[in-house]
Amino acid sequence: MKSTAESGEGPDGFNLEEFLPYRLSIASNRVSRLFAKQYSEQFGLTIPEWRVLAVVGRFGTLSPTSVGQYTAMDKVKVSRAAATLVARGLLKQSPDPKDGRGRLLRLTRKGSTTHNGVVPLAREIEATLAAGLTRAEWTALNKALIKLNEHVMAIEGPDPGEATD
Amino acid sequence: MKSTAESGEGPDGFNLEEFLPYRLSIASNRVSRLFAKQYSEQFGLTIPEWRVLAVVGRFGTLSPTSVGQYTAMDKVKVSRAAATLVARGLLKQSPDPKDGRGRLLRLTRKGSTTHNGVVPLAREIEATLAAGLTRAEWTALNKALIKLNEHVMAIEGPDPGEATD
DNA sequence: CGCAGTTGATTTCATTTACAACGACTCCCC
DNA sequence: GGGGAGTCGTTGTAAATGAAATCAACTGCG
């Protein structure tokens, strides 16, 4: 139905399939699904959870707010992801001695073990993706996304940078 | 906190900010938000709704299934978007004379009017996005996304191609 | 014909998500 | 040192989402 006759321009010359924002949305979705599947199967983690784990693992000790900045998730999502990670014993949450409102997140020993598995898997999946493109295409994609991000951010106001998954 | 000292590699050399799937997700989100805002303000349409409208407007008469294929939305989303468009008088739904199970969607006069405004807005927003990149970067982005899409599709099985918004 | 299997579309339900309000606390200026 | 303004993190609530169940109608084969 899609692959048969029609594939050129319609009466108004508008073709959704060739529309970049649409392609971007689909690509992002497919990649997210791929990640979600892998992380769910191998570690029982959702994407917000592994992002928190990755960032805390990298920096050692972080406040939920900082985690939010590094992962581009809002504080609600961080809070909930952190809560389930704490419940599972992968993260420890303690009060911030410097600020009674704040909390500090760090890996437990168990969390550290998981983290050691999580990062390689991320790299592996990324490598799998990269394998579909030439090296030049891959770097071009990277650069274009960076520029696009900055540009859109400039347009809509820098405020609510956010990632859905 | 993000823009200060830290920006190189962590102890494990993993930097979420430089991780392509992450960038892809954020870019897609920002762009989607931009679209959602514009379409909501100017036409009171959600993204699924304008996609349906765009596709039906282009092809004239379509079944919900076909709409789903063209827009990469699952049938539930199409069904709901179509229902609200019908309720608003932008779309008409009639039984398919060839197949009692099927329905046919087409624009009403009012829907046609809206469609005439919707497509230029899409083009305008796309142009705004493109303005942030050089022409070469833009085409590279397009090509890379196409390849990435095909590649991921090949990996995870061709089945549930889907767009979130 | 009759019935088993399949497909088109909608509906239902459990889960996920965003948005808003909240309590606890800090900051700062009077 | 007291009080308004702002921030940190959590919780509650309402909307959006996808998976599976449902219903109707077509197809094919005995």
Side-chain angles (χ1 to χ4, degrees):
Chain A
M1 220 161 229
K2 183 195 282 178
S3 46
T4 51
E6 290 278 14
S7 110
E9 313 248 312
D12 53 12
F14 182 73
N15 195 345
L16 186 61
E17 298 160 52
E18 292 172 4
F19 192 52
L20 184 129
Y22 164 81
R23 272 207 271 259
L24 183 61
S25 161
I26 293 188
S28 168
N29 256 128
R30 283 204 225 274
V31 170
S32 283
R33 224 199 321 276
L34 185 62
F35 269 79
K37 185 153 161 276
Q38 293 294 317
Y39 275 98
S40 162
E41 282 175 4
Q42 310 216 7
F43 296 101
L45 294 173
T46 65
I47 292 190
E49 284 160 16
W50 89 255
R51 278 188 181 163
V52 171
L53 203 66
V55 169
V56 174
R58 183 186 164 207
F59 292 103
T61 301
L62 280 181
S63 70
T65 303
S66 305
V67 172
Q69 294 180 283
Y70 285 118
T71 58
M73 308 195 297
D74 67 41
K75 57 185 181 172
V76 175
K77 214 178 287 187
V78 172
S79 174
R80 291 208 235 257
T84 87
L85 290 174
V86 168
R88 284 199 182 188
L90 301 176
L91 237 52
K92 187 167 70 88
Q93 193 182 52
S94 45
D96 183 343
K98 307 285 186 189
D99 184 338
R101 299 165 300 183
R103 306 293 144 88
L104 293 178
L105 298 169
R106 60 169 60 245
L107 295 183
T108 62
R109 180 177 303 271
K110 190 177 167 194
S112 189
T113 305
T114 303
H115 179 255
N116 288 338
V118 151
V119 166
L121 178 57
R123 286 228 175 76
E124 190 187 315
I125 300 179
E126 192 185 34
T128 304
L129 293 179
L133 280 65
T134 67
R135 190 152 196 68
E137 286 167 339
W138 184 257
T139 46
L141 177 57
N142 256 290
K143 282 208 295 203
L145 285 178
I146 293 172
K147 263 186 111 166
L148 186 61
N149 263 319
E150 289 169 356
H151 184 59
V152 177
M153 208 151 55
I155 291 173
E156 67 175 357
D159 338 304
E162 179 53 24
T164 277
D165 334 292
Chain B
M1 223 159 230
K2 184 195 281 178
S3 46
T4 51
E6 289 281 13
S7 109
E9 313 245 311
D12 53 12
F14 182 72
N15 195 344
L16 186 60
E17 298 160 51
E18 292 173 3
F19 192 52
L20 185 130
Y22 165 80
R23 270 207 271 260
L24 183 62
S25 163
I26 292 188
S28 169
N29 257 126
R30 283 204 226 274
V31 170
S32 282
R33 224 201 321 277
L34 186 62
F35 268 79
K37 184 153 162 277
Q38 294 293 318
Y39 276 98
S40 163
E41 283 175 4
Q42 311 215 6
F43 296 100
L45 293 173
T46 65
I47 292 189
E49 283 160 17
W50 90 254
R51 279 189 181 163
V52 171
L53 202 66
V55 170
V56 174
R58 182 184 166 207
F59 291 102
T61 300
L62 281 181
S63 69
T65 303
S66 304
V67 172
Q69 295 179 282
Y70 285 118
T71 58
M73 308 196 297
D74 66 42
K75 56 187 183 172
V76 175
K77 215 179 285 189
V78 172
S79 176
R80 289 205 248 256
T84 87
L85 289 174
V86 168
R88 283 202 186 184
L90 301 176
L91 239 51
K92 187 167 71 90
Q93 191 182 52
S94 45
D96 182 344
K98 306 287 186 187
D99 184 337
R101 299 165 299 183
R103 307 293 143 87
L104 293 178
L105 298 168
R106 59 169 59 247
L107 295 182
T108 62
R109 178 176 305 271
K110 190 176 165 194
S112 189
T113 304
T114 302
H115 179 255
N116 287 338
V118 152
V119 166
L121 178 57
R123 286 228 174 76
E124 190 186 314
I125 300 179
E126 191 185 35
T128 304
L129 294 180
L133 280 66
T134 68
R135 191 155 196 65
E137 287 167 338
W138 183 258
T139 45
L141 177 59
N142 256 291
K143 282 207 295 204
L145 285 178
I146 293 173
K147 264 187 112 166
L148 185 61
N149 262 320
E150 289 169 356
H151 184 59
V152 177
M153 208 151 56
I155 291 173
E156 68 174 358
D159 339 305
E162 178 54 23
T164 276
D165 327 297

